[in-house]
Amino acid sequence: MLCPCTEENEIRKRTMVLFDLLKEYRWDAKAVLVLGVLAATYGGLLLPVHLAICDPVAASIAKLNQLPIERTKFRPWLESLNLLIKAMVDVTKCIIKFEKIPFKQAKLDNNILGETLSNIYLTTYRVVKSALTCMQQIPYFKQTQQAKKSRKTAAELSIESRRAAGELSSLGYQLLNIHTRLNKQVEDCSTQIEEEINQRLRNINIETHQDNQDVLHLLFSLQDDLPLQQYSRQISITEVQDKVTLLLLSKPPVEPLFFLLQQLYDHPSNTNTEQNYEIIWVPIPSSQKWTDEEKEIFDFYSNSLPWISVRQPWLMSSTILNFFKQEWHYKDNEAMLVVIDSNGRFVNMNAMDMVLIWGVKAYPFSVSREDELWKEHGWSINLLLDGIHPTFEGREICIFGSENLDWIDEFVSLARKIQNLGFQLELIYLSNQRRDERAMEESSILFSPTLQQLFWLRLESIERSKLKRIVIEPSKPDRVFEEVRNLLDFDYGKHRGWGIIGNGSTAETVDGEKMTERMRKIVRWGEYAKGLGFTEAIEIAAEKPCELSHTAVVPFEEALTMRVVTCEKCKWPMKRFVAYQ
């Protein structure tokens, strides 16, 4: 491009040579590369001139390069150059916009497409030819400093300079006229494609597909054949073919999403289903434009977490983002987990709650699977703690919560006395209000801020999941929903606390006052309650004892094998005496 051309024919030949060199590039890339060379060349010339007035070093550089310092002498030529370059940039933007139109996912009228493509080719040719013409104008830019050494008179140089300026202006106005027509054609193409894509998106839930590829290509591969990444590895959509796909729509990760990650990748039950599904994280910013901070956060998490993510999500089509918000009702402050099965069917528009409750057991994460799980699971310790608490097989669990420190101290003291009687009991403090962690550890109570947060997060998920089913069957009572609602709405000002006791498949909720009252009874029973389970003892303590004492005679050998002797009427444990006959 820097080689001199003396005639118009030479510029045309040089233009075709450039097209041959750039044949592997797209049409927008051809124009951008040529503009880049032009900008670098003229930038190096004009920058010293621009700074020469206030910077002696720049002035010296301008003189060494025989550049004019007084702008008034070359202002007409410079204005013509600015006009042409602005026109070249404008038409190049049109070419770039045309190349970004996702023709793979929609069809365009052949006549409109053919005519627009012809203009794209012609416009790119004119951009390259105009750039070469500008490069040949460099001698006129230096003519002021060269005038002293040249044999040409000032009048001759002035005529040549005006001719050069006129040539640039003529090319600039031609490109401006082309830009007006081309911009309208590109807008028409973009509008038609966008309308067709919108129509396909609206029908995406009802169309029949052979697999999930058409759906995923429509959502993520409008402009890129490698739209996804896992860690730093770029991957194509074909790598998730024949798998259940979970689209995670969210802001950059927050703590609930880390819980989701633990449920689906690190959950103890995750043994045979890991290869049958994939999470694709679709980060959506709070505003239309990504900030540098949001990009850094995305890069960090996408290279750290095991799920697949959209590569360069800031380049996603605004049509797709609007579809998520308008048709899928995505909200900025809430994460969504949309499930697409291996056949491309949308089987659950938000599986977030069921995954937070059951983790990988919810596979294949469909609405019907969620219904099955609720039929299988009732109110139990497993429902509350599975996946967020270490295994508790063989031990009974007592979850309790309160904001009353005196009640907590009394409760813990009674629990310790009961444990000393031989009861296998584990205490877990999970109130909404966090106590001092060190104080809880000194009391040997399992207390974890993370466990506490995940517990209440799960309760909220259970409430939402159940609420959807109650709306469908409003007359059907639901114990799980009522228990969860009572915990979430618990009035700590009116009640001293609450407790949940059970051993895996069972759970019983008890008011705090009643809980401590029954625990006092168990302590009074002392060794006579040995052999009872804690849950069983709490239930027996709720019963009233017999008004009249009575005796039950049990053979000595049989009594040795009995874990505890209880009253046939009130079920309270009976004191043991040995009688000799």
Side-chain angles (χ1 to χ4, degrees):
M1 290 181 67
L2 294 174
C3 297
C5 298
T6 57
E7 298 180 1
E8 178 71 17
N9 287 337
E10 291 185 21
I11 294 178
R12 292 196 188 98
K13 290 179 181 178
R14 188 69 55 78
T15 301
M16 299 311 297
V17 171
L18 280 175
F19 271 103
D20 187 58
L21 289 173
L22 301 174
K23 61 185 178 182
E24 300 297 331
Y25 294 88
R26 298 187 317 184
W27 291 93
D28 57 345
K30 291 181 175 68
V32 169
L33 287 171
V34 170
L35 281 178
V37 174
L38 180 63
T41 303
Y42 270 99
L45 294 174
L46 292 174
L47 185 59
V49 175
H50 178 71
L51 299 175
I53 299 175
C54 58
D55 189 339
V57 176
S60 299
I61 293 174
K63 289 181 180 180
L64 287 173
N65 287 281
Q66 298 182 330
L67 302 175
I69 297 177
E70 297 180 16
R71 298 186 187 183
T72 54
K73 295 183 179 180
F74 63 93
R75 180 166 292 165
W77 178 85
L78 187 59
E79 290 176 351
S80 298
L81 178 66
N82 288 338
L83 172 68
L84 176 57
I85 290 178
K86 183 180 183 304
M88 292 167 68
V89 170
D90 288 343
V91 295
T92 300
K93 288 180 179 178
C94 281
I95 298 171
I96 293 172
K97 184 176 181 180
F98 179 81
E99 291 287 358
K100 286 185 176 181
I101 296 176
F103 293 106
K104 292 181 180 178
Q105 304 303 328
K107 295 181 180 179
L108 190 65
D109 181 82
N110 288 333
N111 293 331
I112 296 176
L113 180 60
E115 184 179 350
T116 306
L117 280 173
S118 297
N119 283 332
I120 290 291
Y121 303 153
L122 177 61
T123 303
T124 307
Y125 171 82
R126 288 187 175 274
V127 168
V128 175
K129 183 172 178 291
S130 297
L132 285 172
T133 303
C134 288
M135 301 296 274
Q136 308 310 311
Q137 296 284 325
I138 293 177
Y140 299 111
F141 178 62
K142 297 181 177 181
Q143 67 182 359
T144 304
Q145 293 296 322
Q146 295 173 343
K148 296 179 181 179
K149 300 180 181 180
S150 176
R151 296 181 179 179
K152 295 181 181 179
T153 65
E156 290 174 334
L157 289 173
S158 176
I159 292 172
E160 289 184 4
S161 179
R162 287 196 298 271
R163 182 186 61 78
E167 184 179 6
L168 296 182
S169 296
S170 175
L171 292 173
Y173 285 119
Q174 289 177 25
L175 284 176
L176 287 175
N177 291 332
I178 290 174
H179 172 259
T180 301
R181 297 193 303 272
L182 183 62
N183 187 57
K184 185 179 184 306
Q185 288 178 324
V186 172
E187 286 291 341
D188 290 342
C189 291
S190 179
T191 300
Q192 285 192 24
I193 292 293
E194 187 172 341
E195 289 176 355
E196 185 168 344
I197 289 177
N198 277 326
Q199 185 60 44
R200 287 192 62 190
L201 289 171
R202 284 192 289 269
N203 297 332
I204 198 171
N205 289 12
I206 58 178
E207 289 181 348
T208 302
H209 309 279
Q210 292 183 348
D211 52 34
N212 58 12
Q213 295 297 285
D214 287 344
V215 172
L216 295 177
H217 274 291
L218 180 60
L219 294 176
F220 304 117
S221 189
L222 294 181
Q223 301 164 2
D224 194 346
D225 293 330
L226 295 170
L228 308 176
Q229 70 178 53
Q230 191 166 31
Y231 301 115
S232 59
R233 183 175 68 95
Q234 297 182 16
I235 62 177
S236 67
I237 286 175
T238 56
E239 293 197 28
V240 297
Q241 189 173 8
D242 300 326
K243 291 186 177 182
V244 174
T245 307
L246 291 79
L247 305 182
L248 175 58
L249 280 61
S250 76
K251 288 183 178 181
V254 290
E255 290 183 352
L257 300 187
F258 292 124
F259 180 36
L260 172 75
L261 176 71
Q262 185 268 338
Q263 290 288 80
L264 290 181
Y265 286 92
D266 301 326
H267 195 282
S269 301
N270 189 7
T271 55
N272 300 321
T273 57
E274 183 177 357
Q275 300 303 318
N276 295 330
Y277 66 87
E278 290 286 355
I279 296 178
I280 298 179
W281 178 33
V282 188
I284 300 178
S286 54
S287 60
Q288 293 292 328
K289 188 176 181 180
W290 279 72
T291 63
D292 291 339
E293 181 182 3
E294 287 174 327
K295 290 182 180 180
E296 290 178 3
I297 293 173
F298 167 77
D299 288 337
F300 173 77
Y301 284 115
S302 62
N303 290 319
S304 305
L305 301 178
W307 52 44
I308 295 172
S309 58
V310 174
R311 187 170 64 87
Q312 295 182 320
W314 44 88
L315 299 180
M316 281 188 64
S317 168
S318 58
T319 302
I320 301 299
L321 293 177
N322 291 334
F323 173 75
F324 290 156
K325 294 177 181 180
Q326 296 173 9
E327 300 296 328
W328 286 3
H329 307 294
Y330 168 78
K331 298 178 182 178
D332 288 338
N333 296 325
E334 298 179 8
M336 286 183 67
L337 199 63
V338 180
V339 183
I340 306 174
D341 69 9
S342 57
N343 295 319
R345 294 175 300 183
F346 288 78
V347 295
N348 198 333
M349 292 309 297
N350 195 352
M352 181 64 71
D353 290 328
M354 72 180 299
V355 172
L356 293 179
I357 299 169
W358 289 293
V360 74
K361 293 179 182 178
Y363 178 85
F365 314 107
S366 60
V367 174
S368 58
R369 175 58 179 158
E370 189 171 9
D371 293 334
E372 292 174 4
L373 288 168
W374 277 126
K375 291 177 181 178
E376 297 170 3
H377 294 78
W379 181 244
S380 66
I381 295 294
N382 279 335
L383 178 66
L384 299 176
L385 297 182
D386 185 33
I388 62 175
H389 179 270
T391 56
F392 44 83
E393 296 179 3
R395 305 191 70 181
E396 290 188 280
I397 300 292
C398 178
I399 307 170
F400 68 101
S402 175
E403 294 180 0
N404 188 309
L405 300 184
D406 293 335
W407 182 87
I408 292 176
D409 292 338
E410 180 187 9
F411 181 91
V412 173
S413 176
L414 290 170
R416 291 289 169 256
K417 293 176 181 179
I418 292 174
Q419 287 174 328
N420 291 335
L421 293 175
F423 286 83
Q424 295 295 315
L425 175 64
E426 181 176 355
L427 300 179
I428 304 177
Y429 177 76
L430 290 175
S431 179
N432 265 330
Q433 181 180 10
R434 295 185 180 181
R435 287 196 69 195
D436 179 62
E437 188 169 351
R438 183 181 300 174
M440 302 305 289
E441 289 177 352
E442 290 175 354
S443 302
S444 300
I445 296 174
L446 179 58
F447 171 76
S448 166
T450 302
L451 175 60
Q452 189 174 26
Q453 182 182 18
L454 297 181
F455 174 77
W456 292 100
L457 178 65
R458 175 167 289 184
L459 290 185
E460 292 170 357
S461 295
I462 292 173
E463 181 187 37
R464 286 191 295 267
S465 180
K466 279 294 185 180
L467 193 58
K468 289 185 292 186
R469 281 147 187 82
I470 290 175
V471 171
I472 299 173
E473 299 181 84
S475 60
K476 189 176 180 179
D478 192 302
R479 183 194 172 189
V480 174
F481 178 77
E482 293 300 328
E483 295 279 10
V484 169
R485 177 62 66 86
N486 290 337
L487 286 173
L488 292 173
D489 297 339
F490 191 82
D491 188 347
Y492 290 94
K494 185 177 180 181
H495 302 278
R496 301 186 71 186
W498 53 266
I500 303 175
I501 55 176
N503 58 355
S505 60
T506 63
E508 189 67 34
T509 308
V510 185
D511 177 75
E513 285 284 1
K514 295 179 180 179
M515 189 77 169
T516 50
E517 180 183 344
R518 297 177 191 180
M519 291 171 74
R520 292 190 203 102
K521 294 178 181 179
I522 297 174
V523 171
R524 287 199 298 269
W525 293 342
E527 62 180 6
Y528 302 111
K530 286 183 178 180
L532 291 175
F534 180 70
T535 304
E536 183 182 10
I538 288 291
E539 292 175 350
I540 291 174
E543 303 293 334
K544 290 184 178 181
C546 296
E547 296 181 358
L548 299 175
S549 61
H550 56 276
T551 304
V553 179
V554 179
F556 182 77
E557 293 181 355
E558 182 180 344
L560 291 177
T561 62
M562 297 178 68
R563 58 190 182 93
V564 67
V565 178
T566 57
C567 175
E568 294 183 354
K569 295 182 179 180
C570 64
K571 303 303 179 182
W572 276 44
M574 302 179 72
K575 293 182 179 180
R576 294 190 182 192
F577 299 94
V578 179
Y580 299 93
Q581 293 182 348

